[in-house]
Amino acid sequence: MKLRMPHSKSSILPRLLAAFLVVPLLSHAAWQPASGPLKTRWTKDVSAKSAHPEYPRPQMVRKEWLNLNGLWDLAITGKAADKPDTYQTQILVPFPVESALSGVMKSVGDNERIWYRRAFEVPPAWAGRRVLLHFGAVDFEATVWVNGKEIGQHSGGYDGFTLDITEALKPSGPNELLVTASDPTDAGTQPRGKQVRKPQGIWYTPTSGIWQTVWLEPVSAAYIRGLKIVPDVDGSAVLVRPITTATLGQFIVEVTIRDGLRKVYTATITPGGQITLPVKNAKLWSPEHPNLYQLVVSLKLGDSTIDRVESYFGMRKISLGKDDKGFTRLMLNNQPYFQLGPLDQGFWPDGLYTAPTDEALRYDIEMTKKLGFNLARKHVKVEPDRWYYWCDKLGLLVWQDMPSGDKFISGNKPDITRTPESAREFETELQALIEGRGNHPSIVMWVPYNEGWGQWDTPRIVDFIKKLDPSRLVDNASGWTDRRVGDVNDVHKYPGPAAPQPEPSRAGVLGEFGGLGLPVPGHTWQAAKNWGYRSFTNAEALTTAYLGLIEKLFPLIEEKGLSAAVYTQTTDVEVEVNGLMTYDRELVKMDSKKIAAANRRMWDNAAGKFKAKK
């Protein structure tokens, strides 16, 4: 994340300030989804009054907040244009402008700029407090004004940012919020994942502008800005570092762990410090038993509570270790644990990068578990916090990719050379990813590169990640371009499967395999010319082929020490029909009972056969 404050209070044109004196009321009745190629069952649940109404940050919850999702005025201009005098239409935030659920479904070019405008009123009960404006994510560059005053700028399409807007607010009545965003998609070098201006094959429709929840919160002059939570299974403890704005010595921070209604431990520290709290006889977190402890952190001055946030954590350890046959294995809570799951792209036919509802987010994770998997590899995309919350709560391991960008290389080529600007953006967004999602117990692996996509300075980047987060594993490159660093050697094989040669200090994993395709009429993005790595004509043949791939994994686990396998993929995505489910999530394309039984038998068998070396 790069957050820049304005250099001058007088940088806005006088006519911009004048335009803010009148705040139009937004009409809920006028909005409806655009007519896109494909809907989901949750499309009908989206309305102008109900667009992701849930609190968006489950690991740092405050009771008072104001959701700014809903209808905003929208204009699209040339990239160099000043603020528009008129707005052509309205958009349903937080859905990207290219999506059907935005109500707009319009492409935005790299030489264009999106303008958003809306009114809001600060609740009277917030009087005398600071007001924070939060954005879950805006792709890619954003500038924000409140009542004509520029508040700040941000670049980075995947990380959240916060602005203190207190000084720009009116003492009463409506306030005007203006946001502009520009996004070069694949015309730029910034992290963008699979977004391209001309979608085809494995490359999909882009997301531009606001695509996660926007909200307000009141805080005191001193408040809790963030938390770092690191479980220590071996030490039966958890490290908590509250990040506050408090500077006076009289402040204290109180940290309380709860297990349901039972208080586990309470301790206090001074602001700026960290504390290790004991968690005796800990209930460990795993996909089978996703136990979560509640955490309450309070900033206090004397007997007064100045700020209070609620969070949670899981007692979970991910590591490497030897099994009793001498293979280097992925270990979960100090035991060999075979990880099996789908490649998860995180695209939706109605919302693109933005799921239609929170229930839809949860559904994908529930179905992944129901189909017998214990893992998802989140592929070159970062999800909203609530996706990881459901993984934490329901019990699903996550390998988290860094979104790719810049140039691509083949497997026999050296790492690319980035411009200073490209390098700085990648590293800044990578750090924001790790710090922004690092408290989720479900995440067990960071994957900075996929198949040489933007692969740059690999050994140093792996070391950079390890220093930021020594508690997790790092996959230096998933497929093709291994640089013999990090914790795993990751190969791709379609349809596969395959395994890398065993190594003494790294685990062998199959980062992608499968890709078995089946278009289902009535449930595809387009009627013809759909694509898959291998094509089948009916569910029975597809099921048989999948079961055959799973059977071939067993000898690789036992004879080559294979520690994980990632099947392509959770759902169809646009013209790519390799999904376990159709793109609209209406159908599982194979016999779900048979594949669930095969999946569970594989990782249950592996867990039973291989014990930690004593």
Side-chain angles (χ1 to χ4, degrees):
M1 177 189 78
K2 292 203 291 289
L3 188 61
R4 303 187 297 275
M5 303 309 292
H7 298 297
S8 170
K9 294 182 179 180
S10 60
S11 60
I12 303 304
L13 295 172
R15 65 185 181 85
L16 177 62
L17 192 56
F20 286 160
L21 297 178
V22 178
V23 180
L25 295 176
L26 301 177
S27 170
H28 288 167
W31 178 86
Q32 61 180 4
S35 181
L38 194 64
K39 295 180 179 180
T40 69
R41 71 188 71 174
W42 302 279
T43 304
K44 67 182 185 324
D45 299 327
V46 178
S47 73
K49 293 183 179 180
S50 180
H52 285 277
E54 50 284 321
Y55 190 84
R57 194 180 54 196
Q59 284 195 309
M60 209 175 98
V61 177
R62 291 189 177 95
K63 290 184 178 179
E64 291 182 279
W65 70 295
L66 179 64
N67 195 330
L68 296 184
N69 291 345
L71 283 175
W72 296 46
D73 293 331
L74 178 77
I76 299 173
T77 68
K79 190 173 181 179
D82 289 331
K83 175 246 172 210
D85 294 319
T86 59
Y87 289 77
Q88 303 101 322
T89 187
Q90 292 181 321
I91 184 171
L92 185 59
V93 169
F95 298 103
V97 66
E98 296 92 344
S99 72
L101 284 175
S102 72
V104 180
M105 206 171 72
K106 177 177 172 56
S107 297
V108 178
D110 55 300
N111 291 315
E112 292 183 302
R113 179 174 296 280
I114 312 166
W115 297 86
Y116 301 84
R117 184 181 67 175
R118 70 154 290 157
F120 68 91
E121 292 193 23
V122 176
W126 295 9
R129 289 189 277 178
R130 311 298 298 179
V131 177
L132 303 180
L133 171 63
H134 303 285
F135 291 85
V138 182
D139 194 359
F140 159 70
E141 292 182 319
T143 304
V144 180
W145 295 266
V146 174
N147 295 325
K149 179 178 180 179
E150 185 178 333
I151 303 300
Q153 300 175 340
H154 174 264
S155 63
Y158 298 91
D159 55 308
F161 61 100
T162 298
L163 300 166
D164 187 330
I165 64 171
T166 311
E167 304 305 326
L169 294 173
K170 296 179 180 179
S172 62
N175 296 275
E176 180 91 358
L177 173 58
L178 180 72
V179 180
T180 187
S182 62
D183 179 19
T185 310
D186 56 336
T189 59
Q190 82 289 349
R192 57 177 168 81
K194 288 199 167 186
Q195 303 179 73
V196 294
R197 290 168 294 169
K198 296 181 179 180
Q200 59 180 328
I202 65 168
W203 308 102
Y204 316 134
T205 303
T207 281
S208 299
I210 298 170
W211 68 276
Q212 291 186 30
T213 291
V214 185
W215 81 102
L216 297 172
E217 275 185 322
V219 294
S220 300
Y223 62 94
I224 299 163
R225 196 158 49 88
L227 299 171
K228 183 175 183 180
I229 308 168
V230 183
D232 180 1
V233 167
D234 294 338
S236 299
V238 62
L239 180 146
V240 180
R241 180 164 68 89
I243 303 165
T244 77
T245 64
T247 56
L248 299 177
Q250 298 96 320
F251 282 100
I252 63 168
V253 182
E254 180 182 86
V255 183
T256 299
I257 299 173
R258 291 187 175 275
D259 180 11
L261 298 176
R262 181 176 69 89
K263 183 184 289 187
V264 176
Y265 202 83
T266 297
T268 59
I269 56 172
T270 56
Q274 62 185 34
I275 188 168
T276 300
L277 293 85
V279 187
K280 296 181 180 178
N281 302 312
K283 299 176 181 177
L284 300 184
W285 185 97
S286 69
E288 297 78 23
H289 304 287
N291 300 303
L292 296 174
Y293 289 88
Q294 294 76 50
L295 193 68
V296 179
V297 182
S298 301
L299 179 64
K300 295 190 170 185
L301 184 61
D303 294 331
S304 299
T305 297
I306 305 302
D307 193 16
R308 181 182 187 274
V309 296
E310 297 178 1
S311 188
Y312 67 86
F313 65 93
M315 292 295 291
R316 185 271 301 129
K317 178 184 177 183
I318 187 70
S319 60
L320 297 180
K322 298 288 186 181
D323 67 14
D324 55 1
K325 295 190 174 184
F327 287 120
T328 302
R329 297 278 183 189
L330 298 178
M331 312 285 276
L332 182 66
N333 300 329
N334 294 319
Q335 294 298 323
Y337 191 90
F338 190 82
Q339 299 180 25
L340 175 67
L343 193 72
D344 194 300
Q345 311 271 9
F347 274 76
W348 298 83
D350 44 9
L352 300 177
Y353 254 21
T354 310
T357 66
D358 192 57
E359 290 76 17
L361 275 181
R362 175 174 178 154
Y363 179 82
D364 271 8
I365 296 155
E366 287 178 327
M367 284 303 300
T368 300
K369 294 267 295 183
K370 186 176 179 180
L371 292 174
F373 297 106
N374 56 24
L375 166 74
R377 179 184 164 203
K378 181 52 64 175
H379 193 37
V380 293
K381 183 199 175 189
V382 183
E383 290 287 356
D385 249 320
R386 291 195 65 87
W387 186 85
Y388 303 94
Y389 162 74
W390 286 119
C391 291
D392 296 340
K393 189 172 179 63
L394 299 175
L396 188 69
L397 300 174
V398 176
W399 295 3
Q400 178 60 54
D401 286 12
M402 174 64 189
S404 53
D406 213 316
K407 297 182 289 291
F408 295 175
I409 53 171
S410 57
N412 60 350
K413 298 292 184 181
D415 285 7
I416 71 169
T417 299
R418 289 179 181 259
T419 65
E421 180 184 11
S422 173
R424 185 168 54 251
E425 188 65 46
F426 176 87
E427 203 161 323
T428 300
E429 291 198 45
L430 175 61
Q431 181 170 346
L433 164 60
I434 293 167
E435 292 177 347
R437 299 293 182 263
N439 289 335
H440 290 284
S442 55
I443 299 176
V444 294
M445 184 107 71
W446 301 115
V447 187
Y449 301 119
N450 176 75
E451 294 185 347
W453 300 356
Q455 189 164 347
W456 160 75
D457 211 0
T458 307
R460 189 185 65 80
I461 291 297
V462 168
D463 186 58
F464 176 72
I465 295 171
K466 282 289 192 181
K467 287 177 180 176
L468 283 173
D469 183 8
S471 72
R472 288 183 175 87
L473 303 178
V474 179
D475 180 347
N476 81 113
S478 186
W480 298 3
T481 46
D482 177 50
R483 302 303 187 222
R484 305 192 66 79
V485 293
D487 297 299
V488 300
N489 184 3
D490 182 332
V491 299
H492 293 180
K493 181 69 173 179
Y494 285 103
Q501 290 300 314
E503 296 183 12
S505 59
R506 298 193 303 171
V509 302
L510 177 57
E512 293 181 26
F513 79 109
L516 306 180
L518 174 65
V520 180
H523 299 276
T524 55
W525 184 252
Q526 60 189 32
K529 296 183 179 180
N530 293 289
W531 179 88
Y533 287 96
R534 296 289 187 275
S535 296
F536 295 85
T537 57
N538 59 66
E540 292 76 16
L542 184 67
T543 301
T544 299
Y546 179 86
L547 296 176
L549 293 182
I550 294 299
E551 283 299 317
K552 291 177 182 177
L553 282 173
F554 281 102
L556 299 177
I557 297 168
E558 188 165 357
E559 298 166 13
K560 284 201 169 184
L562 186 69
S563 285
V566 178
Y567 178 81
T568 300
Q569 58 192 353
T570 306
T571 71
D572 296 346
V573 185
E574 300 194 357
V575 303
E576 188 177 357
V577 291
N578 301 313
L580 295 157
M581 293 186 284
T582 53
Y583 195 18
D584 58 8
R585 277 73 168 174
E586 283 301 305
L587 299 174
V588 176
K589 297 195 287 182
M590 307 180 197
D591 185 316
S592 59
K593 291 183 179 179
K594 287 182 179 180
I595 67 169
N599 291 341
R600 291 193 182 98
R601 183 170 72 90
M602 186 174 67
W603 55 273
D604 282 347
N605 228 23
K609 279 187 176 181
F610 303 112
K611 304 299 181 184
K613 186 176 181 180
K614 296 183 180 179

